Amino acid sequence: MIELPAHRALSRVRSAEDTELEDFKTDGCSGGLSAGWMAVADWLPSFAAEHGEVPPWEGCCISHDRLYHSGGPSLDAKESFLARLAADEALRQCVLETGEERLAAIVESNSVEPDSVRKAYQTIADAIYVAVRTGGGPCSGLSWRWGYGYPQCLVLPRDLSD
């Protein structure tokens, strides 16, 4: 539970009397994923025509961002940790569901086997999951951190104890 001190620090910030949740904002899929996709779509009109100008799973990312923005419903550090874990797993599952929804169209237009498409989406979903688990913890200083709608938090010595 290396991450719990950061959740304690976030809880402290969230419960402070003068703390307010900022208005929601999103960059789509963080880490340059949406921006990179849009650049490819601009360069390759045929790619954009088949796959869209934003990642097909961008709605999953935006739903995930809404959860990350608020840092979950609870001020309790352990519950916050579990809420983040659940949000990240929900993102992975949403990407996989997007792949299933697009499966027939991709198979038909690219003459590939369904298992190939499923493996590709599994790889994408797993990579996104690893990225958010690695870089999305609270108090990280990153703009896409858990609880990013609140002021940045700093882990203090008192946050290190149970």
Side-chain angles (χ1 to χ4, degrees):
M1 292 301 224
I2 294 170
E3 192 177 310
L4 274 181
H7 285 276
R8 287 187 196 102
L10 174 60
S11 293
R12 195 172 13 81
V13 167
R14 288 177 62 177
S15 63
E17 200 171 293
D18 60 342
T19 299
E20 290 186 26
L21 182 65
E22 294 177 2
D23 291 339
F24 175 73
K25 59 185 173 212
T26 182
D27 60 357
C29 294
S30 300
L33 186 57
S34 284
W37 187 285
M38 288 186 278
V40 171
D42 282 345
W43 293 327
L44 301 171
S46 61
F47 176 87
E50 182 173 349
H51 300 289
E53 294 185 14
V54 298
W57 55 84
E58 189 174 76
C60 304
C61 296
I62 293 170
S63 295
H64 184 254
D65 282 356
R66 287 193 182 284
L67 296 169
Y68 261 58
H69 173 254
S70 68
S74 177
L75 293 178
D76 177 79
K78 289 180 184 175
E79 290 175 12
S80 177
F81 172 84
L82 293 172
R84 177 173 174 250
L85 187 62
D88 294 346
E89 184 57 37
L91 173 60
R92 178 176 19 198
Q93 292 306 313
C94 185
V95 172
L96 291 172
E97 290 167 13
T98 301
E100 285 299 315
E101 291 166 6
R102 299 188 69 233
L103 182 65
I106 294 171
V107 166
E108 183 179 329
S109 66
N110 294 283
S111 300
V112 295
E113 294 296 318
D115 281 349
S116 296
V117 176
R118 286 187 179 104
K119 285 178 186 175
Y121 265 84
Q122 185 70 58
T123 300
I124 293 164
D126 290 346
I128 290 171
Y129 179 83
V130 168
V132 296
R133 293 303 304 157
T134 302
C139 308
S140 67
L142 299 172
S143 62
W144 55 78
R145 70 187 181 279
W146 180 252
Y148 72 83
Y150 290 100
Q152 180 55 260
C153 47
L154 178 64
V155 177
L156 301 174
R158 68 179 179 215
D159 298 319
L160 300 174
S161 64
D162 290 331

PDB file of all heavy atoms in Angstrom, residues 27-63:
ATOM      1  N   ASP A  27      -8.675  16.244 -21.207  1.00  0.00           N
ATOM      2  CA  ASP A  27      -7.882  16.285 -22.441  1.00  0.00           C
ATOM      3  C   ASP A  27      -8.193  15.068 -23.304  1.00  0.00           C
ATOM      4  O   ASP A  27      -7.430  14.712 -24.186  1.00  0.00           O
ATOM      5  CB  ASP A  27      -6.386  16.360 -22.127  1.00  0.00           C
ATOM      6  CG  ASP A  27      -5.883  15.168 -21.314  1.00  0.00           C
ATOM      7  OD1 ASP A  27      -6.699  14.298 -20.939  1.00  0.00           O
ATOM      8  OD2 ASP A  27      -4.672  15.101 -21.048  1.00  0.00           O
ATOM      9  N   GLY A  28      -9.337  14.441 -23.031  1.00  0.00           N
ATOM     10  CA  GLY A  28      -9.678  13.206 -23.748  1.00  0.00           C
ATOM     11  C   GLY A  28      -8.910  12.058 -23.113  1.00  0.00           C
ATOM     12  O   GLY A  28      -9.066  11.788 -21.938  1.00  0.00           O
ATOM     13  N   CYS A  29      -8.071  11.424 -23.878  1.00  0.00           N
ATOM     14  CA  CYS A  29      -7.204  10.377 -23.343  1.00  0.00           C
ATOM     15  C   CYS A  29      -5.837  11.004 -23.087  1.00  0.00           C
ATOM     16  O   CYS A  29      -5.191  11.508 -24.012  1.00  0.00           O
ATOM     17  CB  CYS A  29      -7.095   9.204 -24.313  1.00  0.00           C
ATOM     18  SG  CYS A  29      -8.657   8.311 -24.550  1.00  0.00           S
ATOM     19  N   SER A  30      -5.434  11.001 -21.832  1.00  0.00           N
ATOM     20  CA  SER A  30      -4.214  11.681 -21.398  1.00  0.00           C
ATOM     21  C   SER A  30      -2.950  11.049 -21.957  1.00  0.00           C
ATOM     22  O   SER A  30      -2.992  10.023 -22.625  1.00  0.00           O
ATOM     23  CB  SER A  30      -4.150  11.695 -19.866  1.00  0.00           C
ATOM     24  OG  SER A  30      -5.255  12.369 -19.329  1.00  0.00           O
ATOM     25  N   GLY A  31      -1.852  11.673 -21.632  1.00  0.00           N
ATOM     26  CA  GLY A  31      -0.555  11.152 -22.048  1.00  0.00           C
ATOM     27  C   GLY A  31      -0.287  11.327 -23.533  1.00  0.00           C
ATOM     28  O   GLY A  31       0.553  10.645 -24.102  1.00  0.00           O
ATOM     29  N   GLY A  32      -1.036  12.203 -24.173  1.00  0.00           N
ATOM     30  CA  GLY A  32      -0.846  12.441 -25.596  1.00  0.00           C
ATOM     31  C   GLY A  32      -1.579  11.465 -26.497  1.00  0.00           C
ATOM     32  O   GLY A  32      -1.467  11.537 -27.721  1.00  0.00           O
ATOM     33  N   LEU A  33      -2.345  10.534 -25.912  1.00  0.00           N
ATOM     34  CA  LEU A  33      -3.021   9.532 -26.718  1.00  0.00           C
ATOM     35  C   LEU A  33      -4.040  10.163 -27.668  1.00  0.00           C
ATOM     36  O   LEU A  33      -4.047   9.884 -28.870  1.00  0.00           O
ATOM     37  CB  LEU A  33      -3.686   8.482 -25.834  1.00  0.00           C
ATOM     38  CG  LEU A  33      -4.324   7.295 -26.534  1.00  0.00           C
ATOM     39  CD1 LEU A  33      -3.316   6.551 -27.404  1.00  0.00           C
ATOM     40  CD2 LEU A  33      -4.915   6.339 -25.523  1.00  0.00           C
ATOM     41  N   SER A  34      -4.898  11.031 -27.144  1.00  0.00           N
ATOM     42  CA  SER A  34      -5.873  11.689 -28.028  1.00  0.00           C
ATOM     43  C   SER A  34      -5.173  12.626 -29.003  1.00  0.00           C
ATOM     44  O   SER A  34      -5.504  12.660 -30.194  1.00  0.00           O
ATOM     45  CB  SER A  34      -6.910  12.464 -27.212  1.00  0.00           C
ATOM     46  OG  SER A  34      -7.850  11.577 -26.635  1.00  0.00           O
ATOM     47  N   ALA A  35      -4.217  13.391 -28.520  1.00  0.00           N
ATOM     48  CA  ALA A  35      -3.500  14.334 -29.384  1.00  0.00           C
ATOM     49  C   ALA A  35      -2.772  13.598 -30.508  1.00  0.00           C
ATOM     50  O   ALA A  35      -2.805  14.024 -31.671  1.00  0.00           O
ATOM     51  CB  ALA A  35      -2.520  15.162 -28.565  1.00  0.00           C
ATOM     52  N   GLY A  36      -2.131  12.487 -30.181  1.00  0.00           N
ATOM     53  CA  GLY A  36      -1.434  11.694 -31.198  1.00  0.00           C
ATOM     54  C   GLY A  36      -2.395  11.112 -32.215  1.00  0.00           C
ATOM     55  O   GLY A  36      -2.120  11.112 -33.425  1.00  0.00           O
ATOM     56  N   TRP A  37      -3.518  10.606 -31.723  1.00  0.00           N
ATOM     57  CA  TRP A  37      -4.535  10.045 -32.626  1.00  0.00           C
ATOM     58  C   TRP A  37      -5.028  11.122 -33.586  1.00  0.00           C
ATOM     59  O   TRP A  37      -5.157  10.891 -34.792  1.00  0.00           O
ATOM     60  CB  TRP A  37      -5.694   9.487 -31.813  1.00  0.00           C
ATOM     61  CG  TRP A  37      -6.700   8.736 -32.626  1.00  0.00           C
ATOM     62  CD1 TRP A  37      -7.649   9.266 -33.457  1.00  0.00           C
ATOM     63  CD2 TRP A  37      -6.854   7.324 -32.705  1.00  0.00           C
ATOM     64  NE1 TRP A  37      -8.397   8.268 -34.034  1.00  0.00           N
ATOM     65  CE2 TRP A  37      -7.920   7.062 -33.584  1.00  0.00           C
ATOM     66  CE3 TRP A  37      -6.204   6.259 -32.095  1.00  0.00           C
ATOM     67  CZ2 TRP A  37      -8.347   5.782 -33.877  1.00  0.00           C
ATOM     68  CZ3 TRP A  37      -6.635   4.973 -32.379  1.00  0.00           C
ATOM     69  CH2 TRP A  37      -7.683   4.744 -33.274  1.00  0.00           C
ATOM     70  N   MET A  38      -5.298  12.317 -33.051  1.00  0.00           N
ATOM     71  CA  MET A  38      -5.802  13.405 -33.897  1.00  0.00           C
ATOM     72  C   MET A  38      -4.766  13.812 -34.944  1.00  0.00           C
ATOM     73  O   MET A  38      -5.136  14.131 -36.087  1.00  0.00           O
ATOM     74  CB  MET A  38      -6.216  14.594 -33.040  1.00  0.00           C
ATOM     75  CG  MET A  38      -7.500  14.333 -32.268  1.00  0.00           C
ATOM     76  SD  MET A  38      -8.124  15.771 -31.365  1.00  0.00           S
ATOM     77  CE  MET A  38      -7.129  15.699 -29.890  1.00  0.00           C
ATOM     78  N   ALA A  39      -3.498  13.781 -34.581  1.00  0.00           N
ATOM     79  CA  ALA A  39      -2.445  14.113 -35.552  1.00  0.00           C
ATOM     80  C   ALA A  39      -2.424  13.093 -36.686  1.00  0.00           C
ATOM     81  O   ALA A  39      -2.342  13.460 -37.865  1.00  0.00           O
ATOM     82  CB  ALA A  39      -1.089  14.179 -34.856  1.00  0.00           C
ATOM     83  N   VAL A  40      -2.512  11.813 -36.349  1.00  0.00           N
ATOM     84  CA  VAL A  40      -2.546  10.764 -37.377  1.00  0.00           C
ATOM     85  C   VAL A  40      -3.788  10.931 -38.249  1.00  0.00           C
ATOM     86  O   VAL A  40      -3.713  10.815 -39.475  1.00  0.00           O
ATOM     87  CB  VAL A  40      -2.485   9.355 -36.746  1.00  0.00           C
ATOM     88  CG1 VAL A  40      -2.743   8.273 -37.779  1.00  0.00           C
ATOM     89  CG2 VAL A  40      -1.140   9.132 -36.057  1.00  0.00           C
ATOM     90  N   ALA A  41      -4.919  11.211 -37.622  1.00  0.00           N
ATOM     91  CA  ALA A  41      -6.160  11.402 -38.380  1.00  0.00           C
ATOM     92  C   ALA A  41      -6.048  12.592 -39.337  1.00  0.00           C
ATOM     93  O   ALA A  41      -6.585  12.545 -40.452  1.00  0.00           O
ATOM     94  CB  ALA A  41      -7.343  11.582 -37.432  1.00  0.00           C
ATOM     95  N   ASP A  42      -5.346  13.637 -38.922  1.00  0.00           N
ATOM     96  CA  ASP A  42      -5.135  14.792 -39.814  1.00  0.00           C
ATOM     97  C   ASP A  42      -4.251  14.427 -41.004  1.00  0.00           C
ATOM     98  O   ASP A  42      -4.482  14.874 -42.119  1.00  0.00           O
ATOM     99  CB  ASP A  42      -4.492  15.955 -39.052  1.00  0.00           C
ATOM    100  CG  ASP A  42      -5.475  16.710 -38.186  1.00  0.00           C
ATOM    101  OD1 ASP A  42      -6.700  16.536 -38.359  1.00  0.00           O
ATOM    102  OD2 ASP A  42      -5.013  17.487 -37.321  1.00  0.00           O
ATOM    103  N   TRP A  43      -3.235  13.627 -40.756  1.00  0.00           N
ATOM    104  CA  TRP A  43      -2.282  13.236 -41.809  1.00  0.00           C
ATOM    105  C   TRP A  43      -2.855  12.198 -42.765  1.00  0.00           C
ATOM    106  O   TRP A  43      -2.495  12.156 -43.931  1.00  0.00           O
ATOM    107  CB  TRP A  43      -0.999  12.684 -41.210  1.00  0.00           C
ATOM    108  CG  TRP A  43      -0.174  13.679 -40.460  1.00  0.00           C
ATOM    109  CD1 TRP A  43      -0.035  15.008 -40.717  1.00  0.00           C
ATOM    110  CD2 TRP A  43       0.630  13.408 -39.324  1.00  0.00           C
ATOM    111  NE1 TRP A  43       0.806  15.589 -39.807  1.00  0.00           N
ATOM    112  CE2 TRP A  43       1.240  14.619 -38.923  1.00  0.00           C
ATOM    113  CE3 TRP A  43       0.910  12.268 -38.575  1.00  0.00           C
ATOM    114  CZ2 TRP A  43       2.098  14.728 -37.850  1.00  0.00           C
ATOM    115  CZ3 TRP A  43       1.773  12.371 -37.504  1.00  0.00           C
ATOM    116  CH2 TRP A  43       2.356  13.576 -37.137  1.00  0.00           C
ATOM    117  N   LEU A  44      -3.713  11.328 -42.237  1.00  0.00           N
ATOM    118  CA  LEU A  44      -4.245  10.222 -43.026  1.00  0.00           C
ATOM    119  C   LEU A  44      -5.775  10.268 -43.047  1.00  0.00           C
ATOM    120  O   LEU A  44      -6.434   9.661 -42.201  1.00  0.00           O
ATOM    121  CB  LEU A  44      -3.779   8.882 -42.450  1.00  0.00           C
ATOM    122  CG  LEU A  44      -2.266   8.649 -42.374  1.00  0.00           C
ATOM    123  CD1 LEU A  44      -1.970   7.394 -41.580  1.00  0.00           C
ATOM    124  CD2 LEU A  44      -1.680   8.566 -43.773  1.00  0.00           C
ATOM    125  N   PRO A  45      -6.341  10.967 -44.004  1.00  0.00           N
ATOM    126  CA  PRO A  45      -7.808  11.069 -44.069  1.00  0.00           C
ATOM    127  C   PRO A  45      -8.503   9.706 -44.122  1.00  0.00           C
ATOM    128  O   PRO A  45      -9.594   9.543 -43.576  1.00  0.00           O
ATOM    129  CB  PRO A  45      -8.059  11.875 -45.343  1.00  0.00           C
ATOM    130  CG  PRO A  45      -6.796  12.650 -45.547  1.00  0.00           C
ATOM    131  CD  PRO A  45      -5.684  11.766 -45.026  1.00  0.00           C
ATOM    132  N   SER A  46      -7.885   8.708 -44.766  1.00  0.00           N
ATOM    133  CA  SER A  46      -8.512   7.380 -44.830  1.00  0.00           C
ATOM    134  C   SER A  46      -8.565   6.734 -43.438  1.00  0.00           C
ATOM    135  O   SER A  46      -9.522   6.037 -43.110  1.00  0.00           O
ATOM    136  CB  SER A  46      -7.772   6.473 -45.812  1.00  0.00           C
ATOM    137  OG  SER A  46      -6.431   6.284 -45.406  1.00  0.00           O
ATOM    138  N   PHE A  47      -7.543   6.973 -42.631  1.00  0.00           N
ATOM    139  CA  PHE A  47      -7.542   6.490 -41.247  1.00  0.00           C
ATOM    140  C   PHE A  47      -8.684   7.142 -40.471  1.00  0.00           C
ATOM    141  O   PHE A  47      -9.437   6.468 -39.775  1.00  0.00           O
ATOM    142  CB  PHE A  47      -6.187   6.804 -40.587  1.00  0.00           C
ATOM    143  CG  PHE A  47      -6.114   6.441 -39.134  1.00  0.00           C
ATOM    144  CD1 PHE A  47      -5.752   5.169 -38.738  1.00  0.00           C
ATOM    145  CD2 PHE A  47      -6.412   7.386 -38.155  1.00  0.00           C
ATOM    146  CE1 PHE A  47      -5.677   4.832 -37.389  1.00  0.00           C
ATOM    147  CE2 PHE A  47      -6.353   7.057 -36.806  1.00  0.00           C
ATOM    148  CZ  PHE A  47      -5.981   5.780 -36.428  1.00  0.00           C
ATOM    149  N   ALA A  48      -8.802   8.464 -40.617  1.00  0.00           N
ATOM    150  CA  ALA A  48      -9.867   9.194 -39.919  1.00  0.00           C
ATOM    151  C   ALA A  48     -11.244   8.725 -40.383  1.00  0.00           C
ATOM    152  O   ALA A  48     -12.167   8.584 -39.565  1.00  0.00           O
ATOM    153  CB  ALA A  48      -9.706  10.693 -40.152  1.00  0.00           C
ATOM    154  N   ALA A  49     -11.383   8.462 -41.673  1.00  0.00           N
ATOM    155  CA  ALA A  49     -12.671   8.020 -42.194  1.00  0.00           C
ATOM    156  C   ALA A  49     -13.084   6.677 -41.597  1.00  0.00           C
ATOM    157  O   ALA A  49     -14.254   6.455 -41.298  1.00  0.00           O
ATOM    158  CB  ALA A  49     -12.615   7.927 -43.721  1.00  0.00           C
ATOM    159  N   GLU A  50     -12.118   5.785 -41.413  1.00  0.00           N
ATOM    160  CA  GLU A  50     -12.437   4.454 -40.879  1.00  0.00           C
ATOM    161  C   GLU A  50     -12.517   4.426 -39.360  1.00  0.00           C
ATOM    162  O   GLU A  50     -13.368   3.745 -38.794  1.00  0.00           O
ATOM    163  CB  GLU A  50     -11.401   3.423 -41.341  1.00  0.00           C
ATOM    164  CG  GLU A  50     -11.733   2.033 -40.855  1.00  0.00           C
ATOM    165  CD  GLU A  50     -10.839   0.944 -41.410  1.00  0.00           C
ATOM    166  OE1 GLU A  50     -10.059   1.210 -42.348  1.00  0.00           O
ATOM    167  OE2 GLU A  50     -10.931  -0.185 -40.902  1.00  0.00           O
ATOM    168  N   HIS A  51     -11.614   5.166 -38.710  1.00  0.00           N
ATOM    169  CA  HIS A  51     -11.493   5.027 -37.254  1.00  0.00           C
ATOM    170  C   HIS A  51     -11.907   6.258 -36.459  1.00  0.00           C
ATOM    171  O   HIS A  51     -11.961   6.197 -35.233  1.00  0.00           O
ATOM    172  CB  HIS A  51     -10.059   4.647 -36.893  1.00  0.00           C
ATOM    173  CG  HIS A  51      -9.621   3.361 -37.513  1.00  0.00           C
ATOM    174  ND1 HIS A  51     -10.112   2.130 -37.107  1.00  0.00           N
ATOM    175  CD2 HIS A  51      -8.760   3.102 -38.525  1.00  0.00           C
ATOM    176  CE1 HIS A  51      -9.550   1.186 -37.835  1.00  0.00           C
ATOM    177  NE2 HIS A  51      -8.737   1.745 -38.708  1.00  0.00           N
ATOM    178  N   GLY A  52     -12.159   7.361 -37.132  1.00  0.00           N
ATOM    179  CA  GLY A  52     -12.567   8.574 -36.444  1.00  0.00           C
ATOM    180  C   GLY A  52     -11.407   9.522 -36.186  1.00  0.00           C
ATOM    181  O   GLY A  52     -10.243   9.146 -36.284  1.00  0.00           O
ATOM    182  N   GLU A  53     -11.761  10.734 -35.860  1.00  0.00           N
ATOM    183  CA  GLU A  53     -10.750  11.756 -35.620  1.00  0.00           C
ATOM    184  C   GLU A  53     -10.228  11.754 -34.197  1.00  0.00           C
ATOM    185  O   GLU A  53      -9.246  12.427 -33.890  1.00  0.00           O
ATOM    186  CB  GLU A  53     -11.303  13.126 -35.997  1.00  0.00           C
ATOM    187  CG  GLU A  53     -11.563  13.210 -37.494  1.00  0.00           C
ATOM    188  CD  GLU A  53     -11.989  14.585 -37.953  1.00  0.00           C
ATOM    189  OE1 GLU A  53     -11.850  15.551 -37.187  1.00  0.00           O
ATOM    190  OE2 GLU A  53     -12.443  14.677 -39.103  1.00  0.00           O
ATOM    191  N   VAL A  54     -10.886  11.025 -33.320  1.00  0.00           N
ATOM    192  CA  VAL A  54     -10.423  10.823 -31.942  1.00  0.00           C
ATOM    193  C   VAL A  54     -10.437   9.320 -31.679  1.00  0.00           C
ATOM    194  O   VAL A  54     -11.120   8.567 -32.380  1.00  0.00           O
ATOM    195  CB  VAL A  54     -11.311  11.572 -30.911  1.00  0.00           C
ATOM    196  CG1 VAL A  54     -11.267  13.079 -31.144  1.00  0.00           C
ATOM    197  CG2 VAL A  54     -12.738  11.059 -30.928  1.00  0.00           C
ATOM    198  N   PRO A  55      -9.701   8.850 -30.683  1.00  0.00           N
ATOM    199  CA  PRO A  55      -9.728   7.411 -30.400  1.00  0.00           C
ATOM    200  C   PRO A  55     -11.153   6.916 -30.163  1.00  0.00           C
ATOM    201  O   PRO A  55     -11.943   7.609 -29.517  1.00  0.00           O
ATOM    202  CB  PRO A  55      -8.897   7.284 -29.112  1.00  0.00           C
ATOM    203  CG  PRO A  55      -8.046   8.507 -29.067  1.00  0.00           C
ATOM    204  CD  PRO A  55      -8.844   9.593 -29.742  1.00  0.00           C
ATOM    205  N   PRO A  56     -11.492   5.762 -30.682  1.00  0.00           N
ATOM    206  CA  PRO A  56     -12.853   5.238 -30.505  1.00  0.00           C
ATOM    207  C   PRO A  56     -13.228   5.058 -29.034  1.00  0.00           C
ATOM    208  O   PRO A  56     -14.401   5.054 -28.697  1.00  0.00           O
ATOM    209  CB  PRO A  56     -12.825   3.885 -31.216  1.00  0.00           C
ATOM    210  CG  PRO A  56     -11.644   3.925 -32.111  1.00  0.00           C
ATOM    211  CD  PRO A  56     -10.671   4.894 -31.511  1.00  0.00           C
ATOM    212  N   TRP A  57     -12.239   4.923 -28.179  1.00  0.00           N
ATOM    213  CA  TRP A  57     -12.474   4.723 -26.746  1.00  0.00           C
ATOM    214  C   TRP A  57     -12.339   6.029 -25.960  1.00  0.00           C
ATOM    215  O   TRP A  57     -12.288   6.020 -24.735  1.00  0.00           O
ATOM    216  CB  TRP A  57     -11.522   3.667 -26.185  1.00  0.00           C
ATOM    217  CG  TRP A  57     -10.085   3.999 -26.472  1.00  0.00           C
ATOM    218  CD1 TRP A  57      -9.276   4.829 -25.753  1.00  0.00           C
ATOM    219  CD2 TRP A  57      -9.309   3.521 -27.560  1.00  0.00           C
ATOM    220  NE1 TRP A  57      -8.046   4.919 -26.344  1.00  0.00           N
ATOM    221  CE2 TRP A  57      -8.032   4.116 -27.460  1.00  0.00           C
ATOM    222  CE3 TRP A  57      -9.555   2.660 -28.620  1.00  0.00           C
ATOM    223  CZ2 TRP A  57      -7.017   3.869 -28.372  1.00  0.00           C
ATOM    224  CZ3 TRP A  57      -8.537   2.421 -29.523  1.00  0.00           C
ATOM    225  CH2 TRP A  57      -7.288   3.010 -29.396  1.00  0.00           C
ATOM    226  N   GLU A  58     -12.315   7.180 -26.645  1.00  0.00           N
ATOM    227  CA  GLU A  58     -12.128   8.444 -25.933  1.00  0.00           C
ATOM    228  C   GLU A  58     -13.237   8.699 -24.914  1.00  0.00           C
ATOM    229  O   GLU A  58     -12.991   9.263 -23.839  1.00  0.00           O
ATOM    230  CB  GLU A  58     -12.020   9.618 -26.906  1.00  0.00           C
ATOM    231  CG  GLU A  58     -11.611  10.903 -26.182  1.00  0.00           C
ATOM    232  CD  GLU A  58     -11.347  12.055 -27.112  1.00  0.00           C
ATOM    233  OE1 GLU A  58     -12.327  12.643 -27.615  1.00  0.00           O
ATOM    234  OE2 GLU A  58     -10.161  12.357 -27.335  1.00  0.00           O
ATOM    235  N   GLY A  59     -14.456   8.287 -25.197  1.00  0.00           N
ATOM    236  CA  GLY A  59     -15.538   8.417 -24.217  1.00  0.00           C
ATOM    237  C   GLY A  59     -15.218   7.691 -22.922  1.00  0.00           C
ATOM    238  O   GLY A  59     -15.581   8.161 -21.838  1.00  0.00           O
ATOM    239  N   CYS A  60     -14.526   6.555 -23.029  1.00  0.00           N
ATOM    240  CA  CYS A  60     -14.086   5.822 -21.834  1.00  0.00           C
ATOM    241  C   CYS A  60     -13.126   6.678 -21.022  1.00  0.00           C
ATOM    242  O   CYS A  60     -13.207   6.736 -19.782  1.00  0.00           O
ATOM    243  CB  CYS A  60     -13.385   4.526 -22.231  1.00  0.00           C
ATOM    244  SG  CYS A  60     -14.331   3.399 -23.271  1.00  0.00           S
ATOM    245  N   CYS A  61     -12.208   7.337 -21.712  1.00  0.00           N
ATOM    246  CA  CYS A  61     -11.221   8.191 -21.046  1.00  0.00           C
ATOM    247  C   CYS A  61     -11.895   9.369 -20.350  1.00  0.00           C
ATOM    248  O   CYS A  61     -11.519   9.739 -19.235  1.00  0.00           O
ATOM    249  CB  CYS A  61     -10.188   8.701 -22.044  1.00  0.00           C
ATOM    250  SG  CYS A  61      -9.179   7.416 -22.803  1.00  0.00           S
ATOM    251  N   ILE A  62     -12.897   9.953 -20.996  1.00  0.00           N
ATOM    252  CA  ILE A  62     -13.582  11.103 -20.410  1.00  0.00           C
ATOM    253  C   ILE A  62     -14.370  10.684 -19.174  1.00  0.00           C
ATOM    254  O   ILE A  62     -14.352  11.381 -18.148  1.00  0.00           O
ATOM    255  CB  ILE A  62     -14.461  11.806 -21.467  1.00  0.00           C
ATOM    256  CG1 ILE A  62     -13.557  12.430 -22.537  1.00  0.00           C
ATOM    257  CG2 ILE A  62     -15.371  12.850 -20.813  1.00  0.00           C
ATOM    258  CD1 ILE A  62     -14.280  12.949 -23.766  1.00  0.00           C
ATOM    259  N   SER A  63     -15.016   9.529 -19.228  1.00  0.00           N
ATOM    260  CA  SER A  63     -15.708   9.010 -18.038  1.00  0.00           C
ATOM    261  C   SER A  63     -14.708   8.772 -16.912  1.00  0.00           C
ATOM    262  O   SER A  63     -14.979   9.088 -15.745  1.00  0.00           O
ATOM    263  CB  SER A  63     -16.439   7.709 -18.369  1.00  0.00           C
ATOM    264  OG  SER A  63     -17.472   7.940 -19.284  1.00  0.00           O
TER     265      SER A  63
END
